[in-house]
Amino acid sequence: MRAKLYRSLIRLINGPATSRILLKFAYSDYSKFLIKPYAKFYQINLEEMHDDIKSYPSLHAFFTRRLKAQARSIDSKADTVSSPVDGVLEDCGEISPTSEIIVKGKRYSIAEMLGGTKTATTYIGGTYMILYLSPAHYHRIHSPADSEVISTYSIGERSFPVNRLGLKYGDAALSKNFRVVTELKHHNISLAMVKVGAMFINSVEMVNHHREWKKGEEVAYFSFGSTVILIFEKETFQLEETLTIPSEVRMGEKLGKFSNNK
């Protein structure tokens, strides 16, 4: 009953018109007065920002802010996977033989998430990682490894929130929300990075359209808090032993390493 009520409420207020209005306001000069209260409420680290807080012309510009060049350290080893974002490692586990994952007690279809059974077959028995970005986090997305881009495509339309309530009561937010999927190849290992849109503003902006990505370079950004899901082939990834679930991680931090045992 609670889930049905939650979904009905979200659908009522999360329409295209609402999204357009909020996005237009976030881009406008009128939103600038919200920047300082936003930064204070979410305790944003102003010292690591590339620009002074007074220089941002809108809330959207502040939300998608860049960091100073040395604000994050990128793990430099060739066989490691670094976090593509600042966020919370909410879950990590194995993809079932039926291409499903279980997050917060709910089943999600990898086939639905990736937009096809054929693509999902590659990852059966593999590993998934879920990285959640709150409104307080840095919202630019970086490459997790030196990789070749095989394909990038968008699927889905309306989005449920991807916070804990959204995962608990939403309509399979991780596999049905608007999302941008990038399929990658690290040497002969396949992996996918799924950038999941959040409620109201489904904006995932790709800024790197090269066929080769270098670890740590910027590739995209979110226009609102959201989630990144990393998916690896079977027996090709080992989680860093020091990481716990949940765990706060920073962009560039080692998440684990490739282990080509397939």
Side-chain angles (χ1 to χ4, degrees), residues 175-186:
S175 58
K176 291 186 177 181
N177 276 19
F178 171 80
R179 55 211 179 275
V180 176
V181 180
T182 302
E183 293 183 275
L184 301 165
K185 234 7 164 178
H186 174 78

Side-chain angles (χ1 to χ4, degrees), residues 26-27 31 35 51 55-66 140:
Y27 272 94
S31 67
I35 293 176
D51 300 305
S55 69
Y56 295 98
S58 67
L59 184 60
H60 178 267
F62 178 73
F63 190 84
T64 58
R65 63 194 176 276
R66 286 187 167 90
R140 290 188 176 263

